[in-house]
Amino acid sequence: MTAVEREYEADVVVETRDVPAEDVVTLTLREVGGRPLPSWEPGAHVDLILAEGLVRQYSLCGDPADQHVWRLGVLREPESRGGSAQIHDRLHPGTRVRVRGPRNHFPLLASPRYLFIAGGIGITPILTMIAAVDAAGADWHLVYGGRRRASMAFLDELAGYGGRITVAPQDRTGLLDLDSLLGTPRADTLVYCCGPEPLLAAVEARCEGWPAGSLHVERFTAKPLTDPVISGSFEVVLRKSELTLTIPPDRSVLEVVEEAGVDVLMSCSEGTCGTCETPVLEGEPDHRDSVLTPDERAANHCMMICVSRSRTPRLVLDI
């Protein structure tokens, strides 16, 4: 039994490898057979399928118009679970690696004015965004923070934008002055932020008074999980598969669905990548992911079944 819709998946070869900052590498990837890669838009990311079954997500930071090359920027995490270490140590020009995607849960929406806030390697999805809005003639500004200037990637590329960029290494300027940046809500401005969890949480807190839909964030790590609304079991009906399953409190919807023989796409199992997004037909999900916006959660049209659960005794899913 299967209910999966396959994404693009193929082998690519590392064409070039650069070191734009301390502990950061950029890789350009080309499809092994030379065929065009899927198109993508600013904010998109792809999966790298690594050895030992590791699957990790990285933002695309090249030129969306070039369908023959994808570029990624990868930070070596000091407490890596194996993904970034593999990439830094094993992926060199000529190395093959498998990719899947792209997908985009951080889309760039139209606006007359933008404020971009990037922390560390969170600059990667922002690079293509500022190129797009600059080409479109929008008003924008980027504030880019990092621990030290030497650890901040792509500064040479960003220098071409002149005064639209504020570079703020923490060891020289301290923490970003978010109160000044976000203290006054602006109805004509969209805020895009990507970086470590403390930065995202601080930006979210300061944007609570902004108009709904003003803030857009992307997380590389999952937000801490809260206690589920329903502490016991609940029922999930799979409409297409004609199955009714019981989800116990100690297992995820994804685990039970896969055990029943229904093949669904998944990747991170942490609620950050969006791969397992599943349409909801009836019931109210207990959203516990790090992907959906507040408006998307309120709409209840979909859920990430790797971590999200149910607020109602019964959910009906379109799989």
Side-chain angles (χ1 to χ4, degrees):
M1 185 177 295
T2 180
V4 72
E5 296 180 5
R6 289 293 172 196
E7 294 180 299
Y8 172 85
E9 185 173 320
D11 287 334
V12 296
V13 63
V14 178
E15 186 171 70
T16 64
R17 171 185 167 119
D18 296 300
V19 182
E22 290 180 0
D23 294 324
V24 177
V25 296
T26 58
L27 306 175
T28 57
L29 309 174
R30 187 178 294 271
E31 205 267 346
V32 167
R35 292 175 289 272
L37 294 162
S39 60
W40 58 280
E41 295 182 350
H45 67 267
V46 296
D47 293 344
L48 289 190
I49 305 171
L50 306 166
E52 288 88 47
L54 293 177
V55 180
R56 297 291 184 263
Q57 294 74 43
Y58 297 99
S59 297
L60 291 165
C61 58
D63 180 2
D66 186 348
Q67 285 192 253
H68 291 280
V69 171
W70 281 345
R71 185 175 73 156
L72 311 176
V74 181
L75 170 70
R76 181 191 286 273
E77 297 284 356
E79 299 181 2
S80 171
R81 295 170 298 161
S84 69
Q86 277 198 37
I87 291 167
H88 277 251
D89 296 340
R90 302 184 189 181
L91 298 191
H92 300 277
T95 305
R96 288 192 180 197
V97 65
R98 196 149 184 86
V99 297
R100 184 169 58 211
R103 67 187 73 90
N104 196 342
H105 289 277
F106 193 41
L108 180 64
L109 305 181
S111 177
R113 184 171 290 106
Y114 299 87
L115 173 61
F116 297 101
I117 303 173
I121 199 61
I123 189 63
T124 49
I126 302 296
L127 282 177
T128 53
M129 291 184 172
I130 63 174
V133 300
D134 192 67
D139 185 13
W140 63 273
H141 189 81
L142 165 65
V143 179
Y144 178 19
R147 292 181 179 176
R148 295 177 294 107
R149 189 177 181 91
S151 69
M152 300 172 68
F154 308 112
L155 292 179
D156 289 344
E157 293 182 32
L158 294 170
Y161 292 111
R164 291 185 180 272
I165 308 290
T166 298
V167 176
Q170 185 177 338
D171 63 344
R172 298 184 185 181
T173 63
L175 296 175
L176 298 181
D177 187 358
L178 298 179
D179 290 329
S180 295
L181 291 171
L182 302 168
T184 303
R186 297 189 289 275
D188 62 347
T189 301
L190 293 184
V191 179
Y192 278 82
C193 181
C194 186
E197 180 59 31
L199 172 64
L200 298 179
V203 169
E204 285 176 330
R206 287 162 175 81
C207 284
E208 288 182 353
W210 283 59
S214 296
L215 176 62
H216 301 264
V217 303
E218 183 169 60
R219 283 179 160 83
F220 294 140
T221 58
K223 293 190 291 187
L225 288 178
T226 57
D227 292 334
V229 173
I230 294 179
S231 59
S233 300
F234 58 93
E235 184 178 273
V236 167
V237 177
L238 310 185
R239 178 66 55 81
K240 289 180 180 177
S241 303
E242 299 181 343
L243 288 175
T244 299
L245 307 173
T246 298
I247 313 299
D250 60 341
R251 304 193 68 197
S252 70
V253 176
L254 176 63
E255 289 172 330
V256 177
V257 167
E258 286 190 317
E259 187 176 81
V262 179
D263 189 14
V264 292
L265 288 174
M266 56 81 64
S267 182
C268 73
S269 297
E270 297 179 343
T272 59
C273 72
T275 309
C276 67
E277 179 179 330
T278 301
V280 176
L281 301 178
E282 297 177 26
E284 185 180 354
D286 177 11
H287 295 290
R288 293 152 60 83
D289 64 274
S290 302
V291 177
L292 297 176
T293 67
D295 287 345
E296 290 169 336
R297 290 184 173 205
N300 285 324
H301 295 322
C302 65
M303 65 182 291
M304 308 303 159
I305 61 174
C306 66
V307 293
S308 295
R309 300 185 67 80
S310 183
R311 290 178 171 271
T312 50
R314 181 174 179 268
L315 281 177
V316 180
L317 305 180
D318 193 22
I319 56 175

